[in-house]
Amino acid sequence: DTGVSQDPRHKITKRGQNVTFRCDPISEHNRLYWYRQTLGQGPEFLTYFQNEAQLEKSRLLSDRFSAERPKGSFSTLEIQRTEQGDSAMYLCASSRTSGTPDTQYFGPGTRLTVL
Amino acid sequence: TQLLEQSPQFLSIQEGENLTVYCNSSSVFSSLQWYRQEPGEGPVLLVTVVTGGEVKKLKRLTFQFGDARKDSSLHITAAQPGDTGLYLCAGTRGSQGNLIFGKGTKLSVKP
């Protein structure tokens, strides 16, 4: 069990550029979550997948954000036309639906800085 | 409006002291989880509680879920500098899978 991994760990980009982050969940975890955390706040839910199906999206997920989990394994989160307000830590978590409760394990996060 | 209120927001204590961190809500949660987060890292799970009144112990850490499942507390006995970090409570409601987080309590334990 290697834990949840995220890549890259840090990303600096200029406003208006597109960025893509990757998350590899714990193997055999069929649920995958994306959260965003800004300074001084707890993480805020963005979206989650059960296998390859995207089951829920937060109102925080504007139309510039898109997430995919094409084969039910790794997931990508893309932000188009980045804005300075997108600067945050993007966290991925995974869990097993067979677990009661749905205990989520987090990756190390991707720190995004938009200049 | 924050659904889960944590208090205090900041806590600075000396090594060896005891402390309690609170997580309160007016809503019922089906489960509640406590995480510890270091700067620049993701949250690390400490414990999950699901039953009202449940108490769980993890070495010097004691976690309690309120009888009505609306609140929780984390008590640390004889705090050590290694306990320094951001403590986050997070809950799930009903069939929703996503976690609702509090803002966290930033703990600093000085040697």
Side-chain angles (χ1 to χ4, degrees):
Chain A
D1 190 344
T2 57
V4 178
S5 62
Q6 292 187 246
D7 184 69
R9 293 293 310 276
H10 303 275
K11 178 72 177 177
I12 300 174
T13 191
K14 291 184 179 178
R15 191 175 51 187
Q17 298 293 306
N18 299 345
V19 294
T20 300
F21 310 140
R22 177 180 169 125
C23 171
D24 287 86
I26 294 170
S27 57
E28 297 177 0
H29 276 195
N30 54 353
R31 280 193 175 175
L32 188 149
Y33 299 81
W34 286 100
Y35 293 84
R36 182 176 72 182
Q37 186 177 23
T38 53
L39 208 58
Q41 302 292 322
E44 295 173 292
F45 169 73
L46 292 177
T47 188
Y48 95 91
F49 294 83
Q50 184 159 310
N51 300 313
E52 63 275 10
Q54 189 172 16
L55 294 188
E56 193 174 340
K57 290 195 279 189
S58 158
R59 58 179 172 77
L60 291 176
L61 210 68
S62 76
D63 55 8
R64 295 185 297 106
F65 288 69
S66 62
E68 292 183 346
R69 194 181 183 199
K71 295 182 181 178
S73 56
F74 73 91
S75 175
T76 58
L77 177 68
E78 182 183 15
I79 309 174
Q80 295 182 324
R81 305 181 304 281
T82 52
E83 301 173 356
Q84 287 185 323
D86 296 331
S87 295
M89 174 78 94
Y90 289 84
L91 293 162
C92 175
S94 70
S95 70
R96 280 187 295 198
T97 47
S98 60
T100 303
D102 185 14
T103 298
Q104 297 178 30
Y105 297 88
F106 283 81
T110 295
R111 166 74 64 190
L112 173 66
T113 302
V114 182
L115 302 175
Chain B
T1 306
Q2 196 77 17
L3 201 57
L4 273 171
E5 298 281 351
Q6 283 191 245
S7 62
Q9 267 191 285
F10 302 95
L11 193 52
S12 182
I13 61 172
Q14 293 295 131
E15 182 176 1
E17 291 184 12
N18 300 335
L19 66 116
T20 303
V21 173
Y22 299 93
C23 178
N24 295 305
S25 177
S26 56
S27 300
V28 175
F29 286 87
S30 51
S31 72
L32 207 133
Q33 300 172 24
W34 283 91
Y35 292 85
R36 187 166 80 98
Q37 186 177 27
E38 304 269 3
E41 299 292 331
V44 175
L45 180 70
L46 296 174
V47 79
T48 302
V49 286
V50 295
T51 306
E54 184 176 4
V55 176
K56 280 192 174 178
K57 292 193 175 184
L58 187 68
K59 297 183 180 176
R60 294 175 294 100
L61 277 59
T62 302
F63 304 86
Q64 184 160 11
F65 202 9
D67 290 341
R69 290 186 289 134
K70 292 182 179 181
D71 54 83
S72 181
S73 64
L74 157 60
H75 182 79
I76 301 179
T77 304
Q80 298 176 1
D83 296 327
T84 292
L86 179 69
Y87 288 82
L88 293 159
C89 69
T92 56
R93 299 176 68 192
S95 59
Q96 282 182 304
N98 57 290
L99 287 169
I100 299 166
F101 279 87
K103 285 189 177 183
T105 294
K106 193 168 184 180
L107 172 64
S108 173
V109 182
K110 300 186 188 328

